[in-house]
Amino acid sequence: MSWLKRLFSVRSTTSRIAFGQVSMLISVTLVAIILGILPDFLGTRLKDRVSLAEAIAANSSVLITQTDLIRLESVLNLVVERNDELLSAGVRRADNRLVVNISNHQTDWNKGLNEEAIDQQMIVPIIAGRQQWGALELKFKPLYGEGILGFYHRPTVQFILFCGVILYLLYFLYLTKMLKQLDPSQAVPDRVRAALDTMAEGLIVLDRKAQIVLANQAFSDLLSRSSSSLMGFEVDKLPWQLKEDASTDDFPWLAAMNTGKAEMNQTVRLELEDGVRTFMVNCSPVLADEGKAGGVLVSFDDITQLEEQEVELRRSKAEAEQANRAKSDFLANMSHEIRTPMNAILGFTEALKRGYGKNEQNNEHYLSTILVNGEHLLNLINDILDLSKVEAGHLDVESVALKPYQIISEVIQVMSVKAQEKGIALAYRPEGSIPETLMSDPARFRQIITNLVGNAIKFTEAGGVTVVTRMDTQQNKLITEVRDTGIGMTAEQAISVFDPFVQADSSITRRFGGTGLGLAISKKFAEAMEGEIYARSEPEKGSQFYLELNVKTDGPVALISAEEISELKQSEATLNVARWKFPDASVLVVDDGIENRELISLVLSEQGIKTDGAADGVEALEKLAVNQYDLVLMDVQMPRMDGYTAAREIRKKEMTLPVIALTAHAMKGIEQKCLDSGYSGYMSKPINIDKLIQLLVHELDAEPLSEACNDDRALDNGTVGVSYHSSSPNQSISALTLDDSSQLSPLYSELGASNPKFEKIVARFIVRVNDVYKQIQSCSTQQDFTVLRAHAHWLKGSAGSVGFPGLTDLAVKLEQTAIKQEVAGTEMLVAAIGVMIKRINLAKDNPNGINSLSTQTDNQWVIPETVTSELASQGEKFRLIAVKFVAKLEHQITQMKQELDGNDFSALADLAHWLKGAGGSVGFPVFTEIAKALEKAAQAENGPECETLIATVDEIHKRINL
């Protein structure tokens, strides 16, 4: 039975070869028949029938001519009787009348039979004279039957079937004997094979093509196949389960065969009927001539159960470590929370000790901060002592009167230091009226707000954090929202982030730190206070955390408006401006623009810092080699040697001093590129003097001083504080898109309100922003995203500088949507910007307001009637820098025209690059975008556009008034 099974098994190598040889013989036979090499039996018989029919028709024609139908009938009757294949015959006249009927021909004759079936019925014309008299009809037996049986009766089919069966048996018997001599497995003695079959681990031998030439019983049983059926099977085609980043080229037996070295203790997984099994594989190459591997011996040891036990042990260990880490993470989080108020306490105590409090007002502010943070620290200690209740979820909360706006303001004051360190905005924006007091737990409320604001600052690298409060009158709830412009989360992460020790993903902990416990504690606090906390977020679009508390009071709910909150905070704000005492320090300023070097040198000399200058990277390295500096402020794009190369050379020389990048490039990724090159910091042009001083304070360890804010020098040093407004410039776009201007409140500039010296700057901005907005609307309608992006970029940089941060936020979003060419988002943002500009225009009745004085050139560039330097208004020394720039600009414009006439676009691009960096630095931001466009046009060698832009630059130069 096994022999018969192997005979007809398609898996048998012998049967496959025998079947292939028979198939080739049959194919050759069919080709020979088609070419006429072999006789066609059916064709020969058909020809004989045709000859018989022609002979009878010829004889019939003679008899018809003689009108001897009786003799014709006798002849046909004789032919039918003597020919077994002829069933009937008849003669039919031209008028279709049958005149001779032999053997019931009229009944047997099938008029509907296909005319091409000449093997069964034949019709031959009968000619009388020169005309067709009629036709001879002959009915024959079919040459072959109908259906499968008739097909089998064909001689060709019988011949092929006979040869196929007989030759298959002969080939099978022959190959069984021959392949036994050639089969490598047969070279193994029976006693050795029996020994291999008794092994518990699977064993196979592969040839150079990774085909199986020997398999023991254990391996065959794994696949539920016989050893002989595996002969010649490619082992790579088995259902191996590969890793995500792996391919079939990574199999250990292929590596052993390619290298000629053994591969030991490799793990592979095979998908079988009972599931996925794991094997420990050892591969030993079988060396042939010249030391090359002619094959490989592979053993498979099933370690599935051991692996499952190991996974279970690792899981148990991880659970134990997680349980142990939970307490450590909690203590680490508490340590972090304690340090925040402790730093404030120690810092302001040190300030009092050193006598920084010059007046009673300062001392009161410092002591108030110490008191607030001391109480907060005491509450944290109480929470630690009540740890068992926190873990059990049973928290005791108080129900006393608290002022939400006051606690939020105090948290903002404490957390503003962190925000300033990261260079992001932090503000409190009350929307509408909220309860002045409510009954709840002040300590828990403070802790929740602190956690939410702290998390928002931690995960925000650009933009800002805003705390918004509003009243839900329908549900009688106070909603506190913490918005940020940080990294954001997915919807799933926004839910799981409130679980203990969970952050958005593992990379968050490495990047930002933290234990992930703050939000979990905040959620427990909120639930204990009969409120709820939840989050909404999108990746890369920031997050919004919401705290909702039921409004409970002892009596009627007393509401306080947003304007009243702003007035209270302004009355409590101190009127001091930060001043700094810098140590003896020397700074090297590296920039190819002399105006930039003069400006930075002037700012630094005003702070008592020594400066030195260099025009490019080569000169900077030369000066660093002979002089001692404490800091380097270096441009990025310079002739001879750029800033990237210079920074790398500085680090190669093992110089550890800070090197800060100053560049007009503000594209995404430039800051990281600077840091990767060796810079230790980054600042974009035009240089913000306040930010520059803050950077110097940090790098040079300056000590704070205190002077009255009416000191004119405070303008150059900047201030740090929190502003409060009746409505938020960061509010949602949907809330801004109001068509009724009567519902809008005037929006005044923070810059104009802080110092009257900035009123002219604000006024000029209001003039220009109205003109630019017309261009923005036109670009939005025409979907000209390139120009729209340029206008949004200008608005992004200018609005915040003149005290409209809300307009900056919208401009940032507009620039992003213009880059992505999102039509719907662009239209919504343009409408929102229009509403905010309406609010700014509503402030024109204020003394700071001003009517539009700008004009527009023939192209898209908007030029004010009078162009002044924002830098010149800050003092005579700054004005002289602007005067030098204007004088040099006249020469540079002449040079631009000459380079254009000579088609030297490379030199023209260099001049445009100088103007792009120098113009904004000396207080002429109107040149920045135009110079950028001119540089791009020069690089593209677009002569007509360059001529237009140079004319625009020349027109602006003529309107300069210092």
Side-chain angles (χ1 to χ4, degrees):
M1 292 298 293
S2 62
W3 186 85
L4 287 175
K5 184 177 181 181
R6 188 161 59 91
L7 174 64
F8 297 107
S9 174
V10 295
R11 294 184 176 182
S12 172
T13 303
T14 306
S15 62
R16 289 200 302 267
I17 298 176
F19 181 77
Q21 291 179 321
V22 171
S23 299
M24 288 188 291
L25 175 63
I26 293 174
S27 300
V28 172
T29 303
L30 292 174
V31 173
I33 293 174
I34 293 172
L35 297 177
I37 298 175
L38 290 179
D40 185 359
F41 301 102
L42 294 178
T44 303
R45 292 177 61 188
L46 185 58
K47 289 179 181 179
D48 292 342
R49 292 183 177 184
V50 172
S51 299
L52 176 63
E54 291 291 344
I56 295 174
N59 187 46
S60 299
S61 296
V62 174
L63 295 176
I64 289 299
T65 303
Q66 299 174 359
T67 65
D68 191 355
L69 292 177
I70 297 175
R71 189 178 177 185
L72 175 60
E73 184 176 0
S74 299
V75 172
L76 289 177
N77 190 36
L78 179 62
V79 172
V80 172
E81 289 178 355
R82 299 182 64 178
N83 195 330
D84 293 336
E85 292 187 354
L86 187 59
L87 300 178
S88 66
V91 176
R92 193 180 300 273
R93 293 181 57 173
D95 58 1
N96 205 27
R97 184 166 63 89
L98 187 66
V99 297
V100 177
N101 183 11
I102 307 298
S103 297
N104 199 20
H105 177 75
Q106 186 173 3
T107 304
D108 293 343
W109 184 259
N110 186 0
K111 294 182 179 180
L113 191 63
N114 192 340
E115 295 180 358
E116 297 180 357
I118 59 176
D119 63 321
Q120 300 180 33
Q121 295 183 162
M122 290 187 183
I123 301 175
V124 183
I126 298 176
I127 306 299
R130 294 184 179 182
Q131 296 181 350
Q132 181 176 343
W133 179 86
L136 171 67
E137 298 177 350
L138 299 177
K139 178 73 174 183
F140 292 95
K141 291 181 179 179
L143 291 176
Y144 43 85
E146 298 180 355
I148 298 177
L149 186 61
F151 179 77
Y152 171 74
H153 284 160
R154 296 187 181 193
T156 302
V157 175
Q158 292 178 348
F159 173 77
I160 291 175
L161 291 176
F162 175 79
C163 292
V165 173
I166 299 300
L167 289 177
Y168 179 82
L169 294 174
L170 294 175
Y171 284 147
F172 186 86
L173 294 175
Y174 173 76
L175 291 172
T176 300
K177 298 296 183 181
M178 292 301 297
L179 291 179
K180 188 172 183 179
Q181 303 297 325
L182 300 176
D183 188 357
S185 64
Q186 300 299 325
V188 180
D190 292 339
R191 63 180 181 277
V192 177
R193 174 177 288 278
L196 295 177
D197 288 341
T198 59
M199 296 178 63
E201 61 182 5
L203 184 69
I204 59 174
V205 178
L206 306 177
D207 60 13
R208 290 183 178 179
K209 297 181 179 180
Q211 295 177 340
I212 299 176
V213 297
L214 175 65
N216 71 343
Q217 190 64 40
F219 188 81
S220 301
D221 293 342
L222 282 174
L223 303 179
S224 301
R225 295 176 60 172
S226 64
S227 299
S228 60
S229 67
L230 292 174
M231 287 293 299
F233 187 84
E234 295 183 14
V235 70
D236 295 347
K237 293 184 178 179
L238 290 175
W240 303 105
Q241 193 176 73
L242 302 175
K243 297 179 180 179
E244 293 181 359
D245 55 346
S247 65
T248 54
D249 296 334
D250 298 329
F251 286 133
W253 44 84
L254 296 180
M257 198 175 304
N258 293 332
T259 62
K261 298 180 180 179
E263 293 286 334
M264 310 299 291
N265 300 328
Q266 300 294 323
T267 303
V268 297
R269 288 176 172 81
L270 181 62
E271 187 174 351
L272 301 174
E273 295 179 356
D274 57 348
V276 178
R277 308 284 287 276
T278 305
F279 298 93
M280 183 71 71
V281 177
N282 295 315
C283 305
S284 300
V286 179
L287 300 180
D289 299 335
E290 300 179 358
K292 296 183 179 179
V296 60
L297 175 65
V298 187
S299 64
F300 295 86
D301 188 10
D302 192 346
I303 59 170
T304 304
Q305 186 174 1
L306 292 176
E307 186 182 47
E308 291 175 353
Q309 292 176 353
E310 183 179 356
V311 171
E312 185 63 29
L313 287 174
R314 286 200 298 265
R315 184 184 298 111
S316 300
K317 180 182 178 182
E319 291 176 354
E321 290 177 348
Q322 183 177 4
N324 184 46
R325 190 166 53 246
K327 290 185 179 180
S328 299
D329 288 342
F330 180 80
L331 292 176
N333 183 75
M334 288 299 102
S335 175
H336 170 76
E337 299 298 337
I338 290 173
R339 287 178 181 273
T340 300
M342 184 61 74
N343 287 337
I345 294 172
L346 295 178
F348 282 102
T349 302
E350 182 71 14
L352 290 173
K353 181 180 178 181
R354 292 177 178 270
Y356 291 160
K358 298 299 184 180
N359 52 52
E360 188 66 26
Q361 192 175 26
N362 286 344
N363 291 336
E364 184 178 354
H365 170 66
Y366 295 162
L367 291 172
S368 177
T369 302
I370 293 172
L371 177 61
V372 169
N373 285 275
E375 293 175 348
H376 177 44
L377 181 60
L378 179 61
N379 293 329
L380 285 176
I381 294 174
N382 291 333
D383 288 340
I384 295 174
L385 296 177
D386 204 19
L387 175 60
S388 59
K389 294 184 179 180
V390 174
E391 292 180 342
H394 299 293
L395 297 174
D396 294 331
V397 294
E398 294 182 315
S399 181
V400 297
L402 64 87
K403 295 183 178 181
Y405 74 88
Q406 185 178 36
I407 294 179
I408 293 173
S409 300
E410 292 170 354
V411 171
I412 292 291
Q413 180 181 2
V414 173
M415 304 301 291
S416 62
V417 178
K418 289 184 179 180
Q420 293 163 14
E421 290 175 353
K422 298 192 67 173
I424 61 176
L426 176 61
Y428 170 35
R429 315 283 188 188
E431 293 182 353
S433 299
I434 64 172
E436 183 176 7
T437 60
L438 56 85
M439 304 300 294
S440 188
D441 191 320
R444 308 303 186 196
F445 183 77
R446 183 189 304 275
Q447 182 66 14
I448 294 174
I449 301 301
T450 300
N451 285 339
L452 296 181
V453 174
N455 271 358
I457 294 174
K458 181 192 299 184
F459 299 117
T460 302
E461 296 180 334
V465 177
T466 306
V467 181
V468 179
T469 55
R470 57 179 173 270
M471 182 70 177
D472 186 344
T473 55
Q474 293 182 349
Q475 300 185 17
N476 195 31
K477 289 184 177 181
L478 172 65
I479 301 176
T480 304
E481 177 186 354
V482 179
R483 305 172 183 167
D484 66 63
T485 58
I487 60 176
M489 300 175 290
T490 64
E492 294 77 11
Q493 292 170 342
I495 297 174
S496 63
V497 76
F498 292 101
D499 297 335
F501 318 113
V502 171
Q503 289 185 333
D505 56 54
S506 58
S507 64
I508 296 300
T509 302
R510 296 191 299 269
R511 182 178 175 188
F512 296 100
T515 64
L517 190 59
L519 292 178
I521 294 177
S522 299
K523 187 174 182 63
K524 291 181 179 180
F525 287 168
E527 292 173 350
M529 297 164 66
E530 299 181 2
E532 65 174 323
I533 188 171
Y534 55 93
R536 294 173 183 167
S537 182
E538 292 185 35
E540 305 301 330
K541 293 185 179 181
S543 303
Q544 302 86 41
F545 285 83
Y546 299 88
L547 169 65
E548 295 186 359
L549 294 178
N550 294 326
V551 177
K552 297 180 180 180
T553 59
D554 290 336
V557 178
L559 300 179
I560 182 171
S561 66
E563 290 77 7
E564 291 173 333
I565 294 176
S566 179
E567 292 174 1
L568 286 174
K569 297 312 300 178
Q570 289 176 1
S571 64
E572 295 174 359
T574 57
L575 301 177
N576 63 309
V577 177
R579 295 280 297 166
W580 304 97
K581 179 181 179 182
F582 287 89
D584 292 336
S586 179
V587 175
L588 177 62
V589 182
V590 186
D591 198 304
D592 58 326
I594 186 172
E595 296 82 4
N596 293 335
R597 297 201 300 271
E598 288 183 355
L599 172 62
I600 297 175
S601 298
L602 176 59
V603 173
L604 269 59
S605 63
E606 286 291 303
Q607 302 296 328
I609 301 174
K610 299 177 182 178
T611 61
D612 194 1
D616 51 43
V618 175
E619 187 177 348
L621 292 175
E622 293 174 353
K623 291 197 173 185
L624 284 169
V626 297
N627 299 320
Q628 187 72 27
Y629 299 101
D630 299 287
L631 179 72
V632 176
L633 299 174
M634 184 163 61
D635 191 13
V636 171
Q637 188 171 345
M638 297 179 294
R640 293 207 297 174
M641 180 184 291
D642 61 22
Y644 299 125
T645 306
R648 284 192 289 267
E649 292 297 324
I650 291 174
R651 299 313 179 196
K652 286 182 181 179
K653 298 180 183 296
E654 298 184 354
M655 299 182 185
T656 59
L657 78 166
V659 180
I660 308 300
L662 304 177
T663 176
H665 292 289
M667 298 298 291
K668 183 179 181 180
I670 294 297
E671 180 176 2
Q672 187 59 45
K673 184 177 180 181
C674 292
L675 297 176
D676 294 341
S677 300
Y679 284 101
S680 52
Y682 169 89
M683 180 172 288
S684 62
K685 293 180 181 178
I687 299 300
N688 184 294
I689 295 177
D690 292 337
K691 291 183 178 180
L692 176 61
I693 293 176
Q694 291 298 325
L695 183 145
L696 295 173
V697 167
H698 178 266
E699 297 292 345
L700 301 178
D701 296 329
E703 296 181 357
L705 297 176
S706 178
E707 296 182 6
C709 66
N710 55 6
D711 189 340
D712 291 340
R713 291 175 297 174
L715 292 174
D716 298 334
N717 294 335
T719 63
V720 177
V722 182
S723 59
Y724 298 83
H725 302 274
S726 59
S727 59
S728 170
N730 293 325
Q731 58 190 312
S732 64
I733 295 173
S734 61
L736 285 172
T737 55
L738 297 173
D739 295 329
D740 187 3
S741 299
S742 63
Q743 299 182 24
L744 301 176
S745 59
L747 180 63
Y748 298 101
S749 167
E750 297 176 359
L751 184 64
S754 62
N755 194 299
K757 291 187 177 182
F758 295 111
E759 291 179 4
K760 293 182 179 180
I761 298 175
V762 176
R764 286 196 298 270
F765 170 81
I766 295 175
V767 170
R768 186 177 182 189
V769 77
N770 280 278
D771 291 333
V772 171
Y773 181 67
K774 297 177 182 178
Q775 300 298 319
I776 290 176
Q777 287 180 308
S778 176
C779 293
S780 177
T781 302
Q782 300 174 8
Q783 297 185 11
D784 187 350
F785 294 103
T786 302
V787 179
L788 179 62
R789 176 184 174 188
H791 288 316
H793 184 78
W794 170 83
L795 185 59
K796 177 183 69 175
S798 301
S801 302
V802 295
F804 297 106
L807 203 54
T808 297
D809 295 342
L810 293 175
V812 170
K813 297 176 181 177
L814 179 60
E815 185 179 22
Q816 294 172 350
T817 55
I819 293 173
K820 298 177 181 178
Q821 298 188 1
E822 297 176 354
V823 178
T826 299
E827 293 175 350
M828 185 178 296
L829 286 166
V830 169
I833 291 173
V835 173
M836 187 162 287
I837 292 176
K838 287 181 181 179
R839 295 179 59 198
I840 295 174
N841 291 335
L842 289 175
K844 288 182 180 179
D845 295 336
N846 183 273
N848 289 343
I850 188 170
N851 295 324
S852 177
L853 297 174
S854 65
T855 60
Q856 183 176 347
T857 60
D858 294 335
N859 55 32
Q860 71 269 25
W861 304 108
V862 179
I863 306 175
E865 288 290 348
T866 302
V867 180
T868 60
S869 170
E870 299 172 359
L871 183 68
S873 62
Q874 298 189 25
E876 182 61 24
K877 293 181 180 180
F878 292 98
R879 194 185 73 82
L880 291 177
I881 295 177
V883 171
K884 291 182 180 180
F885 166 80
V886 173
K888 182 175 181 179
L889 177 60
E890 183 176 2
H891 170 74
Q892 297 292 77
I893 293 174
T894 303
Q895 190 68 26
M896 289 179 184
K897 296 177 179 179
Q898 293 176 356
E899 303 298 352
L900 179 61
D901 292 339
N903 290 328
D904 191 347
F905 290 101
S906 177
L908 179 58
D910 291 338
L911 292 170
H913 179 75
W914 166 83
L915 180 59
K916 179 179 68 175
S921 298
V922 296
F924 293 105
V926 67
F927 285 115
T928 303
E929 295 298 326
I930 299 176
K932 186 183 297 183
L934 178 59
E935 182 181 17
K936 185 177 181 180
Q939 292 171 348
E941 299 186 0
N942 189 337
E945 185 174 355
C946 290
E947 184 177 3
T948 301
L949 291 169
I950 292 174
T952 304
V953 172
D954 193 13
E955 180 64 26
I956 296 174
H957 172 259
K958 293 176 181 179
R959 299 187 186 189
I960 293 177
N961 183 7
L962 298 177

